[in-house]
Amino acid sequence: MLNDPYGQNIPYPTMADVPNAQSAFEGVVKGLTPKSVMTFASANVRGATLTAPKAGMMTWLTDVGRLEVYDGTGWSTVTSGQSAWKSIALSTGYTNNGNSQGNFEYRLVNLFGETEIRFRGGLTVAYSGGTLVSTNQINNTALPVLARPTTLRTLVIPCSDVNSARITLKIDLTTNGYINLWGIQSGTNPPWIGFNGVMCSL
């Protein structure tokens, strides 16, 4: 048996070797597989299969659509698959396209090995007697588990300066997947709130 000329330790048989198709192909398969991008259903499945990963190994995780490389101490994200913008189901009193900013949507992105959530769009906000029509909880259905932060995230969002004593409010992105609006009070009833450019790590 000889090894490839690129220093990757991929063995291949020579004419002088005793004919044995199984051992010949086994050597090639074992040599190439850990150097290819291996596909696993999830990180748990990968962990059960690759019990002693080596630096430089790359894997694709199907459940989260993520390419990762083992750096010798842990798995680092190389990139994420394309994440489409997804609609957010709204609670009563909130309607899409506030101030003509588009529908309120989110997507997951990967920056520098870290998963982040981005928002875009705007909402029209309804009031009754100077208070929110129904609730400060913007979404009536929780975001999927993969889009929920590991701890509470508080974010600043813009709002209309019409009928408002301020031009920004805040939202809390909770660990159970709900988005809560804060800052509405007497003298602060902006007709719309915006989310373009709002993002945070998960």
Side-chain angles (χ1 to χ4, degrees):
M1 300 285 282
L2 295 176
N3 287 332
D4 72 278
Y6 303 102
Q8 301 302 300
N9 297 316
I10 309 298
Y12 64 91
T14 68
M15 297 297 290
D17 292 324
V18 176
N20 187 322
Q22 179 176 341
S23 62
F25 281 101
E26 182 179 11
V28 174
V29 169
K30 286 184 176 180
L32 285 175
T33 300
K35 299 179 186 305
S36 66
V37 177
M38 295 172 278
T39 301
F40 297 96
S42 66
N44 288 338
V45 174
R46 178 183 64 193
T49 306
L50 301 180
T51 55
K54 293 181 171 54
M57 284 184 168
M58 297 187 76
T59 64
W60 176 261
L61 301 180
T62 303
D63 61 341
V64 291
R66 193 163 65 226
L67 183 66
E68 297 184 346
V69 62
Y70 191 73
D71 62 11
T73 57
W75 292 98
S76 298
T77 300
V78 176
T79 182
S80 288
Q82 181 178 1
S83 176
W85 289 100
K86 298 178 177 62
S87 298
I88 297 174
L90 302 174
S91 298
T92 301
Y94 301 94
T95 53
N96 276 306
N97 201 30
N99 197 38
S100 300
Q101 296 183 82
N103 291 342
F104 184 33
E105 299 174 317
Y106 79 93
R107 72 181 297 193
L108 300 181
V109 297
N110 182 271
L111 294 176
F112 313 110
E114 182 177 63
T115 301
E116 303 202 356
I117 186 169
R118 287 187 175 184
F119 296 100
R120 73 176 181 184
L123 294 175
T124 298
V125 184
Y127 303 91
S128 176
T131 61
L132 293 169
V133 163
S134 61
T135 176
N136 70 320
Q137 182 180 292
I138 294 174
N139 52 327
N140 66 10
T141 302
L143 296 175
V145 172
L146 291 176
R148 300 177 189 178
T150 55
T151 187
L152 180 71
R153 306 293 186 201
T154 296
L155 307 170
V156 176
I157 63 168
C159 67
S160 172
D161 60 358
V162 175
N163 298 325
S164 179
R166 52 201 302 184
I167 59 172
T168 61
L169 299 173
K170 77 163 188 170
I171 58 170
D172 280 343
L173 181 58
T174 67
T175 56
N176 60 357
Y178 287 99
I179 306 165
N180 297 322
L181 175 67
W182 301 104
I184 300 298
Q185 57 193 7
S186 176
T188 302
N189 296 154
W192 61 262
I193 54 178
F195 296 90
N196 291 312
V198 176
M199 62 185 295
C200 70
S201 63
L202 294 177

